[in-house]
Amino acid sequence: MAKKSISRRDFLKGAAASTLGLAAVGMLGGCSSEETPKSSASSINWTKETDVLIVGAGGTGVCAAAAAAEAGAKVLVLEKAGIAGGTTNLSGGVMQAAGTPYQKQFTQYQDDTPEKHFECWMAEGEGQLDEALVKDLALGAPEDIEWLASTCGLKWTSVYGHCHVPYLKDEVLADRIHVYEGGGASGSGGIYVQAVLKVAEGLGAVVEYETEVTRLITENGKVIGAEATQNGQTITIKANRGVILAAASVDQNADMAKELNPQQYWDDTTQICLCVATDTGDGIRMGMELGAAYVSGGTIDFCGKTGAATDNRKPLFPSFIVNQAGRRFVCEDATYAYHYRAIYQQEMQLQGPTYMIFGSSSLDAPTSPWTAETAAKDVEDGVLIMAETLEDLAGKLGIDAAGLVRTMRDWNEDVAAGTDPFGRKDGLEPLSGPFYAYKNTSYNLGALGGLKITTDCEVVDVNGKVIEGLYAAGLNAGGWVGPYYPGSGTAVIGTCHFGRKAGAAAAKRSA
């Protein structure tokens, strides 16, 4: 299906441009739900009818479907693409949780708790998170892990940890990233999706593909259904108990990203966005058209070439990152999205690329992503830049030579003294030439901002009022992940936890 975007003018019109000043406090919304034109249920010739309508069949959508069906509701899922899974399929399917039997079985962390996990996530949120949502996720994640094993048949086979952040206390860090059989590698998230989908369909949930939900239908301020395009025809679906938005964030919609998530806009327009083409912010747009509040967030960015700081079992090799001034600016072995946020900021502030710098001495490190042979091949292909001296390297890169020379001197002096001003822990070894540079390139797995929700996943408008009959979960919702992605396994456990919460909450709502 062709990728669909909306123009900046249409987005601003749909989201009521008069309220966009709320962006300054991290919330964007449209007109209030009271101001939305009303529809009369009696005047609509409904094409379909269900208890719970779910928009999107990614990780969030299938978990919502399973939970709603478990609660006895009639469930219909409408998926824009031709298959289930969305961007969750492209992930490794790993999930964070603390205090599980599997963590105790596979790691040294015998006394870890969900409360420590909550504290860790809150610290990484840097004051921008909804405490109630984060606590709900941290405390509920162990049960989600068990449900996936006992009900969905996933077999947990290992647990590892995410890399540090300089300001995090050691006592809140632990190995919490759960890996199921066949999971862990990019593209294995589909195992999780299919396992849950099998449960949902076994309980009677129906999934219809290549169906794009385009508009929510309201009556007296309550969401009562939705309009969609299916087989070239417009259809209307009556949802007696609620509509759940599970359509991801603004990942592949540069127009919306420019307004709502500048780092995602950078990813969409200058970097490599890996998200599926159907992730165009539809759920966020439809919610904002009804006055839903928007909670800002960062992105899931990492180095696809090196995998730097994606796994605490793989220490970063001797290298550092510099900006246009030839200077370091971040702890390079801090978890990947933390240091990629800094890369984005430096490239915007100094209007030029940043580079990973290393020496021929680095190629002998056990965790080096290059060997002498692969480095030579990447130099030939233009992926790496090599020079005998730092001055020559800086000239080829177009960065400040004196700054780069000073940075290398500082690096070698600091590592000799066993210190690092940025709090780095790994790869602290002297560098010697010839020297190499790799232009940093972000590989993006999505945006983090979304609609404001309660712990029951009810969507909240710009006035703090619940929009009755409307739910959002996963990365269609915001407030539970902050200004940078806090480590692998956060998003996928969020799809499971909040998807299940939304499905259960909608199913029990009175028709």
Side-chain angles (χ1 to χ4, degrees):
M1 179 175 289
K3 176 178 174 182
K4 181 181 179 182
S5 184
I6 59 173
S7 71
R8 183 171 184 269
R9 174 182 292 178
D10 289 342
F11 168 62
L12 292 177
K13 180 180 179 182
S18 62
T19 66
L20 287 176
L22 292 171
V25 293
M27 296 172 60
L28 284 166
C31 54
S32 70
S33 54
E34 288 82 6
E35 296 170 350
T36 304
K38 310 295 190 297
S39 301
S40 172
S42 60
S43 67
I44 298 174
N45 183 21
W46 299 103
T47 312
K48 300 174 186 286
E49 185 172 351
T50 189
D51 291 331
V52 177
L53 173 64
I54 301 170
V55 181
T60 303
V62 296
C63 285
E70 283 178 325
K74 182 181 179 181
V75 179
L76 175 62
V77 185
L78 299 181
E79 168 56 46
K80 190 176 178 182
I83 61 171
T87 299
T88 305
N89 283 344
L90 307 179
S91 75
V94 298
M95 306 185 203
Q96 286 198 32
T100 69
Y102 312 102
Q103 185 187 36
K104 291 179 171 63
Q105 178 182 354
F106 296 120
T107 80
Q108 63 180 325
Y109 295 95
Q110 302 301 298
D111 301 314
D112 193 25
T113 66
E115 289 77 14
K116 288 181 180 178
H117 199 184
F118 162 70
E119 187 177 348
C120 180
W121 269 335
M122 285 300 295
E124 291 177 288
E126 298 179 350
Q128 298 184 28
L129 299 180
D130 183 321
E131 183 174 330
L133 290 177
V134 179
K135 181 171 289 186
D136 194 76
L137 176 59
L139 271 58
E143 194 277 326
D144 295 319
I145 292 290
E146 189 53 45
W147 177 78
L148 288 166
S150 62
T151 301
C152 303
L154 293 185
K155 181 181 179 182
W156 302 107
T157 58
S158 63
V159 178
Y160 69 97
H162 78 286
C163 294
H164 77 116
V165 175
Y167 56 71
L168 275 182
K169 297 182 292 184
D170 288 342
E171 55 264 35
V172 303
L173 280 172
D175 292 353
R176 300 181 176 120
I177 303 172
H178 292 58
V179 185
Y180 50 71
E181 188 173 61
S186 295
S188 57
I191 295 172
Y192 152 61
V193 171
Q194 291 301 316
V196 179
L197 179 61
K198 183 178 179 180
V199 170
E201 291 183 325
L203 292 169
V206 174
V207 184
E208 297 182 2
Y209 298 98
E210 296 184 338
T211 302
E212 181 178 0
V213 179
T214 56
R215 183 175 70 90
L216 296 171
I217 299 173
T218 64
E219 184 177 51
N220 299 322
K222 300 177 182 179
V223 174
I224 60 171
E227 186 175 276
T229 302
Q230 186 179 73
N231 298 323
Q233 302 294 317
T234 298
I235 63 172
T236 53
I237 309 94
K238 185 179 182 183
N240 293 318
R241 300 188 187 177
V243 176
I244 299 172
L245 300 174
S249 191
V250 297
D251 310 337
Q252 288 279 18
N253 191 320
D255 294 313
M256 288 184 72
K258 188 172 185 179
E259 299 295 332
L260 301 174
N261 190 320
Q263 188 170 341
Q264 186 65 38
Y265 178 72
W266 173 72
D267 283 315
D268 287 341
T269 56
T270 68
Q271 306 296 303
I272 299 173
C273 180
L274 301 173
C275 300
V276 295
T278 48
D279 284 357
T280 52
D282 302 344
I284 291 174
R285 172 186 56 79
M286 287 186 286
M288 291 176 71
E289 285 173 349
L290 301 188
Y294 175 86
V295 183
S296 63
T299 63
I300 307 174
D301 287 354
F302 66 101
C303 179
K305 179 68 174 177
T306 67
T310 57
D311 185 333
N312 69 351
R313 299 168 297 182
K314 300 176 182 178
L316 186 62
F317 80 125
S319 58
F320 55 75
I321 294 174
V322 299
N323 57 20
Q324 287 287 296
R327 303 296 284 165
R328 288 180 69 200
F329 53 87
V330 71
C331 177
E332 297 91 350
D333 69 345
T335 191
Y336 52 98
Y338 172 89
H339 73 250
Y340 252 90
R341 175 183 63 168
I343 286 170
Y344 158 71
Q345 291 170 340
Q346 288 290 307
E347 295 197 359
M348 293 299 97
Q349 291 167 9
L350 299 183
Q351 287 296 290
T354 61
Y355 296 92
M356 177 186 292
I357 306 294
F358 58 98
S360 58
S361 56
S362 307
L363 301 177
D364 295 327
T367 56
S368 172
W370 286 279
T371 64
E373 292 75 19
T374 59
K377 179 64 166 58
D378 276 355
V379 169
E380 181 181 340
D381 293 343
V383 176
L384 289 176
I385 306 298
M386 187 186 75
E388 293 295 325
T389 69
L390 290 170
E391 290 85 354
D392 286 345
L393 184 64
K396 292 180 178 182
L397 301 179
I399 66 175
D400 185 83
L404 183 58
V405 170
R406 186 164 67 252
T407 298
M408 184 65 73
R409 182 195 65 208
D410 292 345
W411 169 271
N412 285 334
E413 289 177 354
D414 287 338
V415 298
T419 63
D420 184 76
F422 294 94
R424 182 161 165 173
K425 297 181 177 181
D426 296 327
L428 296 174
E429 298 178 18
L431 301 180
S432 58
F435 299 102
Y436 297 85
Y438 171 72
K439 180 183 176 182
N440 291 311
T441 301
S442 167
Y443 284 57
N444 169 262
L445 277 172
L448 300 179
L451 303 180
K452 184 176 178 61
I453 59 170
T454 69
T455 54
D456 280 331
C457 298
E458 303 158 297
V459 174
V460 177
D461 71 13
V462 293
N463 297 311
K465 295 176 61 178
V466 166
I467 300 175
E468 289 191 52
L470 185 61
Y471 302 81
L475 293 176
N476 204 141
W480 59 277
V481 275
Y484 64 90
Y485 187 57
S488 296
T490 304
V492 181
I493 194 62
T495 67
C496 181
H497 181 76
F498 290 115
R500 293 180 68 205
K501 289 292 294 277
K508 73 179 182 182
R509 180 172 174 266
S510 298

